[in-house]
Amino acid sequence: MKAMILSAGRGERMRPLTDHTPKPLLEAGGKPLIVWHLEKLAAAGCREVVINHAHLGEKIEAALGDGSTWGLSIAYSPEPPGALETAGGIARALPRLGDAPFLVVNGDVYCDVDFPAFTARGCPPGGARLLLVDNPAHHGGGDFSLSGERIIPANGEQTLTYAGIGVFSPAMFDHVPADQPMKLRPLLDAAIAAGTLTGERHAGRWVDVGTPQRLAELDTELRAAQAE
């Protein structure tokens, strides 16, 4: 399965760190955040990765090259200044992703998910399968609820947060306007209504590395684990 790593965000909450370094290249545990993903994808047997970028995108390409360092083939999907949001960015990259379902990973999360087990479950035709996690302190209301494997609107009782990792059908993006910014949430809500959005709860480690403090905490944690 091909994979796409979302790397086009400006990283406003991470400033001033992101003024001169794109967020995916910020380091935790001695290596850039995006390299943790590349290593896990390569270990999972993935061979083709698409990376979108906008802010300081040339630095991402210079740092990662063609992906051969990790046994991968990396293709890039540049976006205009300001980027295209998640759905717009994925739609722009579709020609590089092919006709089969593909894995999408947010470039600014850290997660110990088992990629082969997760991707093996695929996704509903025309829909998606999302990885969900317990709500972090900074997002206590969550995003969705689960009924079995079916994702339903958040019901106020048992809610979970979208981890920024999912398997998507290309058909889900058929009606996204070309090269226009569009968020992912409207497509997810439409898939809920159509019954084509499924998911599973991940009980392992997950961090939304959205602030300098959370980046520093993850760095400390990873370095401590490496020292054991």
Side-chain angles (χ1 to χ4, degrees):
M1 184 178 288
K2 292 184 179 181
M4 179 174 184
I5 303 178
L6 301 175
S7 303
R10 174 65 176 80
E12 289 291 342
R13 293 178 301 163
M14 296 293 286
R15 296 186 68 185
L17 299 180
T18 51
D19 285 346
H20 303 288
T21 302
K23 185 161 57 170
L25 295 185
L26 295 177
E27 292 194 359
K31 67 185 75 170
L33 294 170
I34 198 169
V35 170
W36 289 97
H37 290 320
L38 294 174
E39 290 179 348
K40 278 185 62 68
L41 289 169
C46 178
R47 290 296 172 259
E48 295 183 63
V49 176
V50 177
I51 298 173
N52 68 336
H53 62 67
H55 174 62
L56 301 177
E58 69 282 356
K59 291 191 174 183
I60 293 176
E61 294 198 22
L64 306 180
D66 62 4
S68 57
T69 297
W70 302 276
L72 298 168
S73 174
I74 294 179
Y76 296 96
S77 181
E79 297 181 15
L84 297 173
E85 300 283 1
T86 299
I90 293 173
R92 183 183 177 98
L94 284 180
R96 298 171 174 86
L97 290 165
D99 299 324
F102 50 86
L103 175 68
V104 173
V105 182
N106 280 7
D108 59 354
V109 301
Y110 175 87
C111 188
D112 62 3
V113 63
D114 182 338
F115 278 136
F118 179 65
T119 57
R121 300 181 183 100
C123 68
R129 182 180 186 87
L130 307 184
L131 192 73
L132 304 175
V133 294
D134 291 341
N135 300 329
H138 61 274
H139 192 62
D143 296 314
F144 306 106
S145 294
L146 269 180
S147 177
E149 290 195 346
R150 184 177 175 182
I151 292 178
I152 59 176
N155 58 26
E157 297 177 8
Q158 175 76 37
T159 64
L160 296 165
T161 291
Y162 173 43
I165 296 172
V167 174
F168 291 83
S169 166
M172 193 170 177
F173 304 89
D174 280 349
H175 302 295
V176 175
D179 294 333
Q180 295 295 316
M182 184 172 180
K183 295 182 181 298
L184 182 62
R185 185 59 189 257
L187 299 186
L188 299 181
D189 289 339
I192 288 176
T196 57
L197 192 66
T198 59
E200 63 185 76
R201 175 180 172 270
H202 175 62
R205 191 74 177 105
W206 175 83
V207 180
D208 170 17
V209 192
T211 66
Q213 178 183 350
R214 294 203 291 271
L215 178 67
E217 291 170 352
L218 177 62
D219 179 63
T220 298
E221 174 188 336
L222 293 173
R223 289 184 184 278
Q226 293 164 353
E228 291 179 355

